[in-house]
Amino acid sequence: MKKSLKRMAIGAAALAIASVAHAGATLDRVMSKKAMVVATNSGWPPQSYLDDNNQMVGFDIDVSHEIAKRLGVEVSFDTPDWATLTGGHWQGRYDVGVGSVTPTKARAQVIDFAGIYYYSPYVYVVHKDSPVKTVSDLNGKVIGVETATTSEDFMRHQLQIDAPGLPPIEYKVTAGEIRTFADSMLPFDDLRLGPGVRIDAVVAPEQTAKNAIKNGYPLRVIEGEYAFREPLVVIAEKGDAEWTAKIGEIIKAMKADGTLGTLTKKWYGADYSAD
């Protein structure tokens, strides 16, 4: 029994040493290489997308460049699928995730939240010729959402945001059918065909909806009522508290000096950085 306890103590000590050795490993790697790899999206305008020159642009891209600038390092981008981006266990492939990720209780088990960098109001979108006038008119309708996102969780009445101070989620619409799409713009492509042709409405971030309308999609937002307002966080691999805290400090500084407000106005036409 004593030998077993001794072995357990040695094992615990080894784990503690390993934990200390691992602490700050990401910061050490980034600063030694003078380079940071950001996991993000490649098809989610205006958050992040490829422009006509095949260059990554968008709000999340500008935020990533600013974080890198304040660290004094170069930045490059990788675009894993959404499940990989939010699923953790990156094994050093990415240093940080800047992809407008919602902090949910499930995600908190596999990734760390470095800090909220802006808030996104979600809206109900219909075709401009739709007879739908109010949110209640959407009950029983076919509603499109991007799969594995907060839009889908919201429409399934399963959304659990893990952030302090937010009011409880209210579910005012029960869809007749929830139709999921692999990309944020695909539900808009179906909706633009006409009211009820494939779907009746889309639930999506306000900025994404406005960008689609700006680009000529014959759609309109149901005014006067948000579906919900979600905080978005920069994420990091679990288990490296020093790195997560460092990114959190940078986010706080960017919010305090107005940088995040300026960038949200640039890309969304409104300041979404305020609490």
Side-chain angles (χ1 to χ4, degrees):
M1 182 66 175
K2 289 182 179 180
K3 288 183 179 180
S4 296
L5 290 172
K6 184 176 181 180
R7 282 196 296 268
M8 289 172 64
I10 293 171
L15 284 172
I17 293 170
S19 296
V20 171
H22 180 68
T26 308
L27 181 60
D28 290 344
R29 180 176 68 245
V30 168
M31 299 311 295
S32 64
K33 291 182 177 180
K34 293 295 179 183
M36 179 177 73
V37 179
V38 175
T40 189
N41 304 279
S42 61
W44 194 9
Q47 282 77 238
S48 51
Y49 60 101
L50 291 170
D51 66 9
D52 293 339
N53 297 315
N54 210 36
Q55 298 296 311
M56 291 289 292
V57 296
F59 171 70
D60 281 337
I61 305 306
D62 280 0
V63 169
S64 300
H65 280 292
E66 183 66 24
I67 293 172
K69 176 183 174 183
R70 296 185 185 216
L71 284 169
V73 301
E74 298 295 320
V75 63
S76 61
F77 298 96
D78 205 336
T79 56
D81 61 49
W82 187 251
T84 301
L85 171 64
T86 59
H89 308 291
W90 294 344
Q91 298 180 324
R93 290 173 292 176
Y94 329 114
D95 300 309
V96 68
V98 186
S100 296
V101 175
T102 309
T104 64
K105 292 181 180 179
R107 288 172 183 162
Q109 304 303 310
V110 292
I111 54 177
D112 281 341
F113 306 142
I116 297 171
Y117 65 120
Y118 76 114
Y119 293 81
S120 177
Y122 272 61
V123 293
Y124 300 96
V125 188
V126 295
H127 192 275
K128 68 179 184 64
D129 296 328
S130 172
V132 170
K133 302 298 182 184
T134 67
V135 170
S136 61
D137 293 336
L138 294 175
N139 280 299
K141 300 293 186 181
V142 180
I143 298 180
V145 294
E146 184 180 3
T147 189
T149 64
T150 49
S151 296
E152 181 179 2
D153 287 344
F154 175 76
M155 286 311 305
R156 297 192 187 283
H157 298 185
Q158 297 172 346
L159 181 57
Q160 292 183 310
I161 295 177
D162 187 18
L166 290 179
I169 301 296
E170 292 186 66
Y171 300 110
K172 298 183 178 181
V173 175
T174 300
E177 179 186 347
I178 300 167
R179 197 162 295 174
T180 60
F181 297 81
D183 180 84
S184 63
M185 292 308 296
L186 291 178
F188 291 107
D189 289 335
D190 271 14
L191 187 59
R192 72 189 300 183
L193 299 176
V197 174
R198 290 186 179 172
I199 58 177
D200 297 294
V202 171
V203 174
E206 181 179 57
Q207 57 269 30
T208 307
K210 286 184 174 180
N211 191 65
I213 293 169
K214 178 182 177 181
N215 288 325
Y217 282 57
L219 312 175
R220 61 179 172 85
V221 172
I222 297 179
E223 300 293 344
E225 189 170 1
Y226 289 136
F228 61 98
R229 185 171 177 263
E230 74 171 342
L232 288 312
V233 292
V234 174
I235 61 175
E237 180 73 287
K238 287 197 82 68
D240 195 336
E242 183 180 350
W243 172 246
T244 300
K246 180 67 176 179
I247 298 300
E249 290 170 5
I250 292 173
I251 292 168
K252 286 181 181 178
M254 289 171 63
K255 185 175 290 188
D257 65 22
T259 299
L260 286 172
T262 298
L263 290 178
T264 59
K265 288 176 184 176
K266 170 186 174 181
W267 287 101
Y268 306 137
D271 186 352
Y272 288 145
S273 67
D275 293 349

